[in-house]
Amino acid sequence: MEALRRDDPRRFGRFTVLARFQEAASAVQYVARDTATGEIAVITAARPALAAVPAFRRRFQAEARTAERLAGGWVAPLVDSDSAASASAAAATSDDTADKAGAGGAADGPELLWTATEYVPALPLAEAIGIAGPLPERALRILGAGIAEILSRVHAGGAVLQGLAPGTVLLAEDGPRLTAFGPLGAAAAAEAKPGGQLSVRLGYLTPEQVEGKEVGAPSDLFVLGLLLAYAATGTTPFTEGPPEEAARRIAEADPELDAVPEELRELIAGCLAKDPAERPTAGTVAAELALEGAAGLARGGWLPERLAAAVADQEARVRALEVPGEADATTPEDARPAEEPEDARPEDARPVDAVDAVAVAPPGAPAEAPVTRTPADPQVPAATTGPPVTAEAYGTGATTESHGTTAPTTTEGYGTGSGDIGEDRGTTRFLNTGPKPPQSDRATTQLALPQGPQQPHEPPPAQPAASGAPEAGHHHTYGSPAPYPAALLPGSAGQGAGRSGNPGGGPIGGPRGTDGPQGGGPMVALPLPSAPTPPDGSATSRRTLITIAAAAVGGIVVGGGAVAAIGGGESVAATDDRPAPKPRRTLPGRPPEPRWTYSHPASESSPLTTALWRDRLLVVTSESQASAVDLRTGKRVWQRADAAKGQAALAAGDLCFVASPTEFLWLAPEDGTVVHRVRYADGFTGLPNLQVGRLAGQSGPLIWFAGSHTVTVKAPKPKKGKKQAPDRQVVQAHFFAYDIVRRAEVWRTPVPAGRAPGTPVARVVAERSADLLVRQDAVTLTPAEVKAAKGKGIIRSFDRTTGKLQWARQYGTAAPDAAVTGDEDGVLYAAVGTDLQSFEADTAKPLWRVAGTAGSVFGTPVVAGPFVHTSERSQQVGAVERETGRLVWRRSTEVPGIGNAPSLALSSSGKTLFASDATQVTAFAAADGERLWKFQDIGVADPKGATVSASYRTFTVGGSAVVQRDRSFYAFPVA
């Protein structure tokens, strides 16, 4: 943290800047105070020279949206942003920069891009290792579990993060935090280059990147393994050997993990597996490291004493900051612009003719004498063709440009783009997971741009460079190798190497060093999204490129390098036609391809109820109508206004039975035609104007429900000389059994009326051969009933044949609204306090008890085979043995915080258990709790769009699971 410089902005929107906090390659962070609330925030402001590049602006905003979606848990919430670079984003107040600094502060300067997040006292991982050395095992588990929980949420949406680095992972008092949500945030270096190009150098390589393949969810796990190894040892597991062979070691060599704690060695080695398919999922890593979740394991503190003291010291210094005066602004020598001699300027910063194709020069060859190598040369990895690619081997000055077709990959942080770098398609379109466009499999080392009429090339005015090497940073002090050993970086070692862009981290290599071609590492072509079609009149020489260079940096990877470019404003024709590839297989932890999706029309009111009719129809009711969707195709087949606000969709012979608010309906499944109807008002003998509540249960052709009607009770004749008392309106309630095939009432029995308006709502909690066990919902109990029960719930037994009430019992201290279910053997399973307890239904004798998570309660369990499947408000899902109560397994859904307990559903085969909550659907193997996949329907990323807050629901039928969130439905194949 340092004082503000003279050219630093003094305000960002409603925030007053207090001090510089830290620097990164693409942005500067400031400590600021909210003028409205006085709260401290951290402002992340993009470097102006980078913000002037349209591709950077779109990418910055996309990563900000990702951060906003992930807010909560181990991601600090976004409290404000530049609102797409509004003119009032920032304003400078210093005397000589008031007309230039800040967003919209100058007519000739770019508007600032910025975001504001809550200030959380924390240290970057790199700085923490420098202060106290490697982390102990417990801290490693909490760190890894917390980051894995974030990755699991990202991967559940079918996206890749690409934001992990020692400088983007923070250690706070209560657990880890992540501060980068895509390549820009985790960049080791970023530079605005002539011609509207943007060079971004990542801080790591993965084996699949070395081989020129797509990155995917397993790529994040590889980097997580590198981070954990670094946190456990203070160094990278791939340091041994010459730096120029680092890429080969990443792709082929075994990691050095001898110094990693033995208990974690196998897990970290699994993350570092060369084959992405062999790496564990993020959910598996989180569960292996902290079964109770990172937050649970971190209770009572988790940081070593020295780090806890450093965090406390940082907080004290930040909170003591005051608004600096004009005289407080500093202009350090290293912050002043200096004219750079031409011969000292990196070659890759000089203007390069965009249409010249230069071959890759081998290490040791002069840059001005290009040499073309063949794919057979072991020093040149086979490159995949792709969109316009500027591939620069750092240290050689060589440039390779290509065109063709390639499969879009997830380079948008939290989603897959399909053209424009700013698109965040992975978060808005679930189905963006199918077959890719044709991809070249032909090895090539010299590729050219499409030929065509060219205008004489005039290099555009050079924009001010934004070096990825901030001026100062904390140097590594721990005795083991530094997390960012710049001296070992090919092409970035030596005097020209830059310094850390990570808070408190060690040195990071800049875009290029001064050691010439000798330091050149292997070039790797990264597959990136193809370019979109440009507006009419766009010229090839004026295209916007974003170049991503994945190089050996940090305690993650040492040596190697890769550069690629994304076309931002032109289309390029493929040079040849190739057959489309086969659909890629589902990645571990990623949901399978849905068989279909259905979106309820926006012109209609939102769905109220959803039900499945056999294995043929999905019946959705709303305020205006009921509609049916074909379960085989996802197409709507009919609509029926008569069944508006209906509930259930049961098989009544060959007809579809729906209970509407006023009548029972029997619909033809083919077209929704009403075949029969029974009105409540006149369809039940002796009960005029009957009101029917929610269905309590169903078995075969029988349904059970409670209903009520109002009767007039005549007042008694008054005594002589007294006034006649008025008649009274009394609500009478009954519990019914009804045969929906014969369309006839089976029996009715009187029950207490509920809270006004008087219709009780009941639920059948267990069916036995001789009776039904029924509980009235707590919300319909009268105050007198609650008082009489002394705050405990009551279960009633009704004879299954006659409906006669047999008994009413309480079970332990189970509350009226406690989750409860039962089985055919006469055992009830009820939430009692924070525990789950089983009872003999007939005697209320306790049988066993399973302890729950502290501060949590159990949701409604599901009984299946030998297990009782459970869920808790702490987002734990598990299974216990029905006979003994022995805990078989317990896993977290990895949804942060405490909410409602997930609702559970089993696949028809009983092999897959689904936990649905307000955040996601998590699929578990029912037998052992293995997390199979997660699904999140994030919705359309429209800033003006409505926020979807509805919880997920899962319905299972046959080999499908239908997941609903508000208007969206997805049919997944399941085991």
Side-chain angles (χ1 to χ4, degrees):
M1 192 162 56
E2 62 178 84
L4 293 175
R5 300 172 185 174
R6 297 185 66 85
D7 57 350
D8 281 330
R10 298 305 194 268
R11 290 185 65 85
F12 291 87
R14 68 177 193 266
F15 299 94
T16 300
V17 180
L18 304 178
R20 274 183 165 240
F21 195 39
Q22 57 198 24
E23 294 189 39
S26 62
V28 178
Q29 288 190 330
Y30 300 93
V31 180
R33 178 173 285 116
D34 189 330
T35 55
T37 65
E39 295 295 325
I40 299 294
V42 174
I43 304 293
T44 301
R47 297 183 182 274
L50 299 177
V53 180
F56 178 93
R57 299 178 69 83
R58 294 191 294 270
R59 167 49 103 187
F60 185 94
Q61 291 162 351
E63 294 187 14
R65 291 193 297 270
T66 297
E68 189 172 15
R69 295 185 190 105
L70 292 175
W74 308 122
V75 176
L78 200 70
V79 296
D80 201 358
S81 69
D82 66 317
S83 300
S86 62
S88 60
T93 59
S94 53
D95 54 357
D96 61 345
T97 61
D99 295 331
K100 295 182 180 180
D108 58 348
E111 298 171 343
L112 283 183
L113 290 172
W114 59 273
T115 61
T117 57
E118 290 183 0
Y119 166 66
V120 177
L123 299 174
L125 175 61
E127 182 177 342
I129 298 301
I131 292 173
L135 300 180
E137 181 189 339
R138 178 169 173 269
L140 287 171
R141 288 183 176 275
I142 295 167
L143 169 66
I147 300 304
E149 288 169 8
I150 299 174
L151 291 179
S152 183
R153 294 170 59 196
V154 174
H155 298 167
V160 186
L161 183 67
Q162 293 186 283
L164 297 181
T168 65
V169 174
L170 308 184
L171 310 186
E173 182 181 16
D174 59 344
R177 295 292 192 280
L178 183 62
T179 62
F181 306 94
L184 284 188
E191 181 183 9
K193 302 176 69 176
Q197 295 185 5
L198 175 68
S199 174
V200 177
R201 186 155 149 253
L202 301 181
Y204 56 83
L205 279 176
T206 63
E208 48 269 32
Q209 286 173 307
V210 172
E211 296 174 359
K213 298 179 180 178
E214 290 187 46
V215 295
S219 303
D220 283 336
L221 271 298
F222 186 88
V223 182
L224 176 60
L226 293 171
L227 281 175
L228 291 177
Y230 165 61
T233 64
T235 186
T236 170
F238 294 106
T239 54
E240 297 299 327
E244 63 271 13
E245 297 182 4
R248 182 193 59 79
R249 292 198 301 273
I250 295 164
E252 301 175 8
D254 293 330
E256 295 293 334
L257 300 176
D258 292 344
V260 174
E262 184 177 355
E263 293 79 3
L264 303 180
R265 200 173 299 158
E266 182 178 356
L267 179 63
I268 294 177
C271 292
L272 297 176
K274 306 304 180 187
D275 184 355
E278 295 180 359
R279 296 172 202 156
T281 64
T284 299
V285 172
E288 291 285 341
L289 292 173
L291 184 60
E292 64 272 59
L297 188 57
R299 289 193 182 99
W302 72 292
L303 292 177
E305 185 176 349
R306 292 181 64 186
L307 296 183
V311 171
D313 177 68
Q314 180 200 91
E315 181 178 17
R317 288 187 290 116
V318 167
R319 304 220 180 265
L321 289 172
E322 297 181 357
V323 178
E326 201 60 39
D328 296 332
T330 64
T331 307
E333 288 295 322
D334 60 356
R336 297 172 184 167
E339 193 65 35
E340 190 176 47
E342 181 68 17
D343 59 356
R345 190 177 304 165
E347 290 186 36
D348 61 357
R350 299 172 183 167
V352 177
D353 193 324
V355 300
D356 291 339
V358 182
V360 178
E368 57 270 18
V371 177
T372 302
R373 293 189 179 272
T374 66
D377 191 321
Q379 297 187 38
V380 181
T384 58
T385 63
V389 174
T390 302
E392 304 178 4
Y394 285 112
T396 67
T399 300
T400 299
E401 299 195 303
S402 69
H403 68 282
T405 56
T406 186
T409 69
T410 307
T411 58
E412 288 299 315
Y414 196 73
T416 52
S418 60
D420 194 296
I421 188 65
E423 290 185 341
D424 206 7
R425 289 292 183 82
T427 64
T428 61
R429 296 182 183 273
F430 177 85
L431 287 178
N432 194 12
T433 56
K436 304 279 187 175
Q439 182 175 8
S440 170
D441 58 358
R442 182 166 56 194
T444 178
T445 57
Q446 183 169 354
L447 305 168
L449 285 173
Q451 300 299 316
Q454 301 291 338
Q455 301 295 330
H457 178 68
E458 295 182 8
Q463 299 183 15
S467 172
E471 292 77 10
H474 178 86
H475 288 273
H476 184 78
T477 57
Y478 184 67
S480 59
Y484 295 107
L488 298 179
L489 295 182
S492 54
Q495 297 176 359
R499 292 186 181 274
S500 172
N502 296 299
I508 294 182
R512 177 189 161 104
T514 59
D515 57 347
Q518 296 293 339
M523 183 182 71
V524 181
L526 301 182
L528 296 170
S530 55
T533 302
D536 293 339
S538 62
T540 300
S541 61
R542 301 298 297 171
R543 70 187 185 277
T544 299
L545 296 178
I546 176 171
T547 303
I548 297 183
V553 184
I556 306 180
V557 173
V558 179
V563 182
I566 298 176
E570 73 175 83
S571 62
V572 180
T575 57
D576 53 43
D577 294 324
R578 295 177 177 85
K582 296 179 180 179
R584 62 187 180 190
R585 66 175 180 80
T586 300
L587 295 174
R590 183 173 182 167
E593 282 287 331
R595 288 175 171 155
W596 52 259
T597 64
Y598 167 73
S599 182
H600 194 69
S603 59
E604 301 177 12
S605 55
S606 295
L608 296 177
T609 66
T610 304
L612 301 180
W613 186 78
R614 293 183 171 173
D615 59 351
R616 289 178 53 188
L617 297 178
L618 172 74
V619 179
V620 181
T621 68
S622 65
E623 292 281 350
S624 58
Q625 64 186 13
S627 54
V629 176
D630 191 322
L631 282 173
R632 296 165 297 178
T633 64
K635 305 294 184 182
R636 186 151 75 169
V637 292
W638 53 258
Q639 306 165 60
R640 179 60 56 184
D642 305 65
K645 302 181 184 180
Q647 56 174 314
L650 307 176
D654 294 330
L655 301 178
C656 177
F657 171 85
V658 175
S660 81
T662 59
E663 59 188 344
F664 290 151
L665 297 171
W666 287 260
L667 309 177
E670 296 81 10
D671 56 11
T673 301
V674 177
V675 179
H676 306 288
R677 67 174 80 227
V678 172
R679 293 183 175 85
Y680 308 144
D682 53 19
F684 292 83
T685 304
L687 300 176
N689 300 315
L690 180 69
Q691 302 293 317
V692 173
R694 188 180 68 226
L695 298 187
Q698 178 256 344
S699 178
L702 292 181
I703 61 172
W704 299 284
F705 59 92
S708 66
H709 76 296
T710 302
V711 298
T712 300
V713 178
K714 294 286 187 180
K717 186 177 180 180
K719 295 181 180 179
K720 188 176 181 180
K722 299 293 183 179
K723 290 184 178 181
Q724 175 73 38
D727 296 338
R728 292 186 302 120
Q729 301 294 309
V730 177
V731 176
Q732 294 181 349
H734 295 80
F735 189 61
F736 296 84
Y738 191 91
D739 190 317
I740 60 175
V741 173
R742 296 190 296 114
R743 302 191 301 282
E745 179 182 335
V746 178
W747 49 255
R748 72 179 73 159
T749 189
V751 294
R755 185 189 297 266
T759 302
V761 176
R763 185 173 74 88
V764 176
V765 298
E767 299 176 37
R768 300 193 292 182
S769 59
D771 65 349
L772 303 172
L773 303 185
V774 180
R775 187 183 71 170
Q776 185 175 336
D777 280 10
V779 294
T780 64
L781 293 172
T782 64
E785 289 173 314
V786 174
K787 183 177 180 180
K790 298 181 179 180
K792 300 178 183 179
I794 296 177
I795 303 292
R796 292 181 172 88
S797 168
F798 294 93
D799 185 279
R800 190 158 183 160
T801 303
T802 65
K804 179 181 178 181
L805 176 64
Q806 300 190 122
W807 48 256
R809 290 193 173 88
Q810 296 176 318
Y811 296 86
T813 59
D817 59 350
V820 61
T821 195
D823 61 26
E824 68 282 1
D825 296 329
V827 178
L828 290 180
Y829 309 93
V832 181
T834 61
D835 301 335
L836 181 70
Q837 194 167 354
S838 71
F839 301 88
E840 283 186 356
D842 292 321
T843 65
K845 175 184 176 182
L847 299 176
W848 49 254
R849 179 189 298 265
V850 174
T853 307
S856 181
V857 295
F858 280 89
T860 302
V862 171
V863 180
F867 299 136
V868 177
H869 295 287
T870 65
S871 66
E872 302 178 57
R873 289 187 59 198
S874 60
Q875 310 308 306
Q876 300 288 325
V877 176
V880 299
E881 289 183 350
R882 289 171 63 178
E883 293 292 331
T884 65
R886 182 183 70 85
L887 183 62
V888 179
W889 59 265
R890 179 180 285 170
R891 301 280 187 273
S892 172
T893 64
E894 299 174 342
V895 173
I898 297 291
N900 292 328
S903 61
L904 302 179
L906 269 173
S907 63
S908 299
S909 67
K911 295 180 179 180
T912 307
L913 178 69
F914 300 94
S916 306
D917 52 46
T919 302
Q920 65 191 29
V921 174
T922 310
F924 298 89
D928 57 12
E930 177 188 359
R931 260 182 296 261
L932 303 177
W933 50 263
K934 298 182 181 181
F935 171 71
Q936 291 178 322
D937 168 29
I938 298 177
V940 177
D942 181 2
K944 298 181 181 179
T947 299
V948 177
S949 58
S951 294
Y952 291 87
R953 301 178 65 196
T954 303
F955 309 87
T956 60
V957 58
S960 297
V962 178
V963 172
Q964 175 193 5
R965 193 183 194 203
D966 195 31
R967 297 176 179 271
S968 299
F969 297 81
Y970 303 84
F972 294 104
V974 297

